[in-house]
Amino acid sequence: MKPIALPQGIVKNPSLHQWLTFERSGVITLHSGKVELGQGVEIALQQIACDALGIDPDQLQFQGGNTLQGPDEGHTAGSQSIDQGGHAVQAACLFARQIFIQTAAHELGVSPEVLELERGIFSTNGSDKTCNYWSLLPLVNLMQPVGPSMQMPSRKWVGQSLSRPDLVQKLSGTGFIHDFTLPGMLHARMIRGPLGDSVIDFVDVPAIASLTGVQHVVHSRDFLAVVGADEAQLVLATEKARTFVQFGLKKPLAMASDTEALLLSLAGESSTVHQQGERRDVGLLHEARYSRPYIAHASIGPSCALAQWAHGQMKVWSHTQGVFPLRADLAKAFQWSLDAVQVIHLHGSGCYGHNGADDVAFDAAFVSFKLGVPIRMQWSREDEMTASPLGAPSLVNIRAGVDSVGRIAEWNLSVWSHSHLSRPGGADVNLLGAWQVDGGSEKPVPTDLPLPAGGGHRNAVALYDFAHQQVDYFFIPDATLRTSALRSLGSYVNLFAIESFMDEMAEKLSVDALDFRLQHLSDPRAVAVLEKLADICGWRQQGESDGLHGLGLGFGRYKNVAGYCAVAALIRVEEKITVEKIWAVVDVGLVVNPDGLINQIEGGIIQSLSWTLKEQVSWDEGGITSRTWDEYPIIAFSEIPEVEVHVIDRPECPSLGSGEVAAGPVPAAVANALYRAIGVRVRHLPLTPERLTQFILNS
């Protein structure tokens, strides 16, 4: 019999004690490399563990993201916490159950097959003798490697909408890293220019040091921080301190009228990343271009970190998505051993990818190292909007033709973009402050993720059945502004382009947009989500447009391997686009926590709507100009439409990633609805009132 392959998380972290510990009687601690970012992963992983161990949630506590104790699972990213992290947790817990069952059977003098397990207690029918995990612990070796184990016996907790344990504190105002304190800590603020990697041309350190509220000034080349005991006084002093600093740029910023012109003006590296099928002679050729601008993470709570340097050890508290990669970069930046750094995850307010969480951790650590006291470093809103990495702009060109029966036979997609992945954890140091200090690290040469996951070309390969499909990627390493991972990476714009183009092709062929998609789909799960969507939104019953309202749809399978999502948007068009209702149908296989899944889809829809209707980073010769909510508006509560999410649960199928599945279908649904409403095809995001007016006038 072929041995069962262990999950990669287990292969990388093979010892059982890395996953489970028994610090106190009646409670098991589950350790995970995946962290809670507001996506509900903490309760979902606990549900998986409880079923595998045969215990109840009140008997399990979760610890995610601690480099001192727990598995290294890289980053919590890519919608992989359940399909990969959950798979590893299940494997470790089932193996633990198996070895404890063997021990319990020996202690009770029975066959393992007759044992029953409830709330961690092992028993048999017809006998009063019992034992439990905690009483058997001295007889079990937790240091052994996790091996192949039993199948999941049954599901008691998976599939239920258990409440998230983190919400009580978060809703009461004490659940975030911003609320965390250390004894004797001082507050710190960074002073940076209008661009994260601005250089300091001149600084009057004595003048800054004399300001009320400033106890210390930490200055090293282009790194400048002020430190004080009173946070309110320090905030006021920081604004005054800026008047004593002159900033410059390392190089002039590229300027262009729009995203298309900007990207086409920059040098890129061209490669064919996907080619399938034979080229054919086709008719009815159509070609179109789509784009998205630079987008900010725009986290509601600006980045924050705490650090304490003591006795040759640096301890850092961070809302990073990867405690082990951050530890590795901090160790390299300070030229320490890994053992000298501990990183502990605390919950942050808004994440969505590689925001400023890792950078502010270095800032806090550097100041603490210089002063030898605990430091709480809090970025300002301006820091967050100018120093945090941005989501990269992208340009997508699609050219396609159909055969004699109206099916797409030739499909060519080209995408231009920068790096979508400059996280810590690689060969070089990816921390802003580490590039700015004297003797610091060199900024790495940008790279991007290859397919099948992909960065700028994530989801650039269409899921549809085309006779010939080719995807070319023009990777532009030299970005005007600093870029890295933003929720869904290139999937957002690529699915926007593909799904908009499918509507355009259907229009040219006088075919219903839904039917046209179904004609090109052989994946039954893809067909199912689209047909379900058509039923719930009334697609087949819609009549002619009234010139005001429109109904559009978009579809995608995230990374072509994760969850399926189909979205329909009903909009009203007046001076601006008002989204009245969104329907979504998702298939992510086995659903661990239905309420948590729906929360994720709703959140993804709302954020994607904000990108689609409003968000765009702006800059001039001096740096980024969209530094506040006034210059960088996001969707308001009053603008959020009714959202209706339907889930196709497939308990017989593995769980698939869900966190980013809604991002790409949403802009396509809105843009397609816009065309149905007023007959105007807008291909460049965001769909602001100004852009809408421009396209109407030019159409």
Side-chain angles (χ1 to χ4, degrees):
M1 181 180 293
K2 185 178 180 180
I4 300 174
L6 292 171
Q8 282 302 305
I10 299 295
V11 173
K12 189 175 181 180
N13 308 275
S15 181
L16 183 58
H17 87 284
Q18 294 176 279
W19 300 89
L20 295 172
T21 53
F22 299 72
E23 282 91 358
R24 57 192 176 95
S25 180
V27 176
I28 300 174
T29 300
L30 171 66
H31 300 273
S32 172
K34 302 301 182 182
V35 297
E36 179 61 57
L37 303 168
Q39 80 279 43
V41 67
E42 179 176 339
I43 187 61
L45 292 179
Q46 288 186 71
Q47 289 174 248
I48 294 170
C50 284
D51 277 352
L53 289 167
I55 61 175
D56 292 345
D58 65 312
Q59 298 177 290
L60 188 77
Q61 65 180 10
F62 178 87
Q63 184 180 94
N66 188 331
T67 59
L68 192 62
Q69 171 67 64
D72 178 0
E73 294 187 89
H75 292 97
T76 302
S79 299
Q80 296 174 336
S81 294
I82 299 301
D83 67 332
Q84 292 189 10
H87 191 194
V89 163
Q90 179 175 285
C93 292
L94 284 175
F95 180 74
R97 178 180 183 142
Q98 180 173 285
I99 61 175
F100 273 93
I101 282 177
Q102 296 292 335
T103 307
H106 182 268
E107 287 297 292
L108 299 177
V110 298
S111 170
E113 290 76 21
V114 303
L115 281 176
E116 296 179 359
L117 176 58
E118 185 74 23
R119 287 189 59 82
I121 300 172
F122 300 93
S123 63
T124 60
N125 280 328
S127 173
D128 294 334
K129 293 180 64 178
T130 65
C131 54
N132 58 56
Y133 279 115
W134 302 273
S135 66
L136 295 172
L137 185 61
L139 305 175
V140 174
N141 176 23
L142 295 180
M143 303 298 289
Q144 64 180 293
V146 175
S149 59
M150 60 195 303
Q151 297 295 314
M152 178 70 81
S154 62
R155 296 189 182 108
K156 178 181 178 181
W157 299 107
V158 167
Q160 294 196 40
S161 293
L162 300 188
S163 299
R164 283 171 44 181
D166 59 309
L167 290 183
V168 173
Q169 284 187 312
K170 287 178 177 177
L171 293 174
S172 63
T174 60
F176 298 104
I177 189 171
H178 310 76
D179 309 307
F180 188 69
T181 60
L182 293 171
M185 75 179 191
L186 297 178
H187 296 278
R189 288 291 190 277
M190 293 302 302
I191 300 175
R192 287 193 168 104
L195 203 63
D197 55 358
S198 299
V199 298
I200 295 176
D201 291 333
F202 170 79
V203 56
D204 188 341
V205 172
I208 295 174
S210 67
L211 294 172
T212 301
V214 176
Q215 291 179 230
H216 305 279
V217 178
V218 177
H219 175 224
S220 180
R221 208 182 77 204
D222 299 316
F223 184 101
L224 181 63
V226 290
V227 183
D230 187 298
E231 187 177 14
Q233 285 187 342
L234 190 67
V235 170
L236 295 175
T238 301
E239 293 306 308
K240 295 177 183 177
R242 294 185 185 280
T243 64
F244 299 111
V245 190
Q246 294 177 6
F247 293 99
L249 300 179
K250 292 182 178 179
K251 61 179 181 179
L253 296 179
M255 307 297 293
S257 57
D258 55 35
T259 301
E260 180 177 359
L262 174 66
L263 292 178
L264 293 179
S265 71
L266 302 172
E269 304 164 358
S270 174
S271 62
T272 297
V273 294
H274 177 82
Q275 189 161 211
Q276 185 176 10
E278 297 293 329
R279 290 189 177 277
R280 297 188 180 187
D281 292 329
V282 296
L284 185 63
L285 291 171
H286 178 52
E287 187 168 6
R289 280 186 174 176
Y290 310 83
S291 70
R292 83 164 201 187
Y294 280 98
I295 304 175
H297 286 81
S299 301
I300 295 295
S303 297
C304 179
L306 295 95
Q308 184 171 19
W309 170 253
H311 312 297
Q313 294 284 316
M314 178 64 73
K315 185 179 287 189
V316 174
W317 291 262
S318 170
H319 52 112
T320 175
Q321 288 184 244
V323 292
F324 283 93
L326 175 57
R327 180 185 69 163
D329 269 32
L330 288 173
K332 285 182 287 188
F334 286 97
Q335 299 182 6
W336 296 332
S337 69
L338 283 176
D339 292 340
V341 185
Q342 180 186 0
V343 179
I344 304 164
H345 181 266
L346 293 177
H347 295 188
S349 175
C351 185
Y352 328 127
H354 180 194
N355 63 0
D358 299 287
D359 294 327
V360 76
F362 174 86
D363 295 346
F366 187 79
V367 174
S368 181
F369 176 69
K370 288 294 185 181
L371 300 181
V373 296
I375 292 294
R376 176 184 177 274
M377 174 67 76
Q378 169 76 64
W379 274 11
S380 67
R381 170 55 47 198
E382 289 78 4
D383 292 333
E384 193 68 33
M385 303 302 274
T386 59
S388 180
L390 305 172
S394 295
L395 172 66
V396 182
N397 188 88
I398 304 178
R399 183 174 185 271
V402 299
D403 59 20
S404 59
V405 295
R407 287 176 59 89
I408 292 177
E410 186 69 27
W411 177 277
N412 294 271
L413 183 147
S414 301
V415 56
W416 289 256
S417 195
H418 303 300
S419 174
H420 288 250
L421 193 70
S422 300
R423 293 184 184 277
D428 301 304
V429 176
N430 257 312
L431 297 169
L432 175 62
W435 307 334
Q436 296 181 311
V437 298
D438 282 319
S441 307
E442 291 294 323
K443 185 176 181 180
V445 176
T447 59
D448 213 11
L449 278 173
L451 289 175
H457 47 336
R458 177 169 292 182
N459 273 113
V461 178
L463 195 66
Y464 297 104
D465 303 324
F466 301 143
H468 177 259
Q469 180 175 185
Q470 179 172 321
V471 175
D472 297 310
Y473 187 26
F474 294 85
F475 175 62
I476 305 170
D478 190 12
T480 303
L481 307 174
R482 181 187 176 203
T483 65
S484 191
L486 174 64
R487 193 179 198 177
S488 83
L489 282 66
S491 176
Y492 170 72
V493 69
N494 291 323
L495 284 177
F496 163 62
I498 291 169
E499 290 297 292
S500 295
F501 196 89
M502 289 296 284
D503 257 47
E504 294 184 45
M505 290 293 286
E507 176 73 18
K508 286 185 171 293
L509 293 166
S510 299
V511 179
D512 178 80
L514 174 63
D515 290 338
F516 190 64
R517 286 170 171 80
L518 295 176
Q519 290 169 14
H520 291 84
L521 279 172
S522 58
D523 185 333
R525 294 172 72 171
V527 170
V529 295
L530 280 166
E531 290 182 335
K532 177 72 172 178
L533 179 71
D535 290 341
I536 64 173
C537 76
W539 181 266
R540 304 289 187 194
Q541 289 74 49
Q542 61 179 316
E544 294 295 321
S545 171
D546 60 3
L548 190 66
H549 293 85
L551 181 66
L553 61 84
F555 160 77
R557 184 182 186 191
Y558 187 52
K559 295 189 287 191
N560 289 359
V561 296
Y564 299 80
C565 182
V567 170
L570 176 64
I571 71 168
R572 185 178 73 254
V573 186
E574 295 167 312
E575 297 86 9
K576 65 175 184 176
I577 297 171
T578 299
V579 181
E580 295 186 339
K581 185 166 183 177
I582 293 279
W583 296 264
V585 178
V586 295
D587 173 0
V588 295
L590 169 66
V591 178
V592 177
N593 187 305
D595 184 59
L597 169 61
I598 291 172
N599 292 164
Q600 278 296 285
I601 302 304
E602 290 173 340
I605 287 170
I606 292 167
Q607 183 172 39
S608 187
L609 277 178
S610 186
W611 294 342
T612 300
L613 299 176
K614 291 176 174 286
E615 297 188 39
Q616 181 172 8
V617 174
S618 60
W619 69 95
D620 59 19
E621 294 83 357
I624 292 175
T625 56
S626 49
R627 305 175 196 172
T628 67
W629 295 128
D630 289 334
E631 296 118 2
Y632 191 92
I634 60 175
I635 195 168
F637 286 109
S638 60
E639 298 171 301
I640 294 174
E642 179 185 354
V643 178
E644 183 179 317
V645 179
H646 292 253
V647 178
I648 299 177
D649 189 12
R650 298 186 184 274
E652 75 284 359
C653 297
S655 298
L656 301 173
S658 65
E660 297 159 286
V661 299
V666 166
V670 173
N672 290 334
L674 176 64
Y675 181 81
R676 284 177 171 269
I678 62 174
V680 173
R681 175 63 63 181
V682 181
R683 301 186 180 99
H684 302 282
L685 301 173
L687 307 180
T688 60
E690 296 78 15
R691 177 160 285 169
L692 183 60
T693 300
Q694 176 187 350
F695 274 93
I696 291 174
L697 293 175
N698 294 337
S699 62

